[in-house]
Amino acid sequence: MLDDGMIEFGKSGNEYDKRSILAALPASKAEPAPDDELEMTDVRTVQLAPEVVLLTYRLRPKKEKAIPSLRSSIWKRTDGHWRLVFHQGTRAASEETNGP
């Protein structure tokens, strides 16, 4: 699913590429990710070009210690398969102060 040129700007402030994400996968299976304590809401898509889509959504906490975030990603269809080209996670303001 990851395009060879894929990049991610994480909510941590770190930048990742396909190679670094694939290298981190074995370690992520040993310990649940904090995002396992979040639910995806407010999903929206915008078609940017015939084979390119922007996906945005919010991750909301199911548990107090989880951190809410806003997510966006760009997907492109190549040879009939959707590939992730770009992803960004941004820490969200509290809903009490930011609204829905």
Side-chain angles (χ1 to χ4, degrees):
M1 290 178 36
L2 302 179
D3 188 77
D4 288 340
M6 180 266 181
I7 59 168
E8 175 181 349
F9 298 146
K11 71 179 180 186
S12 63
N14 293 317
E15 183 176 338
Y16 306 94
D17 60 12
K18 180 179 179 176
R19 188 181 66 200
S20 63
I21 290 170
L22 293 177
L25 283 178
S28 71
K29 293 182 188 260
E31 190 175 313
D35 290 348
D36 291 346
E37 299 172 353
L38 299 159
E39 67 178 323
M40 180 190 275
T41 63
D42 304 327
V43 178
R44 293 177 289 221
T45 59
V46 176
Q47 187 171 358
L48 302 176
E51 300 291 325
V52 180
V53 175
L54 168 66
L55 171 69
T56 61
Y57 56 96
R58 178 182 297 270
L59 290 179
R60 291 192 168 133
K62 291 183 193 178
K63 299 181 179 178
E64 283 184 35
K65 65 180 181 175
I67 299 170
S69 61
L70 304 172
R71 305 292 176 122
S72 60
S73 56
I74 297 176
W75 294 80
K76 73 175 180 178
R77 191 186 328 239
T78 304
D79 299 326
H81 301 281
W82 286 101
R83 303 283 185 210
L84 180 63
V85 176
F86 174 81
H87 181 75
Q88 181 167 355
T90 303
R91 189 178 194 138
S94 165
E95 288 195 27
E96 285 117 25
T97 60
N98 197 35

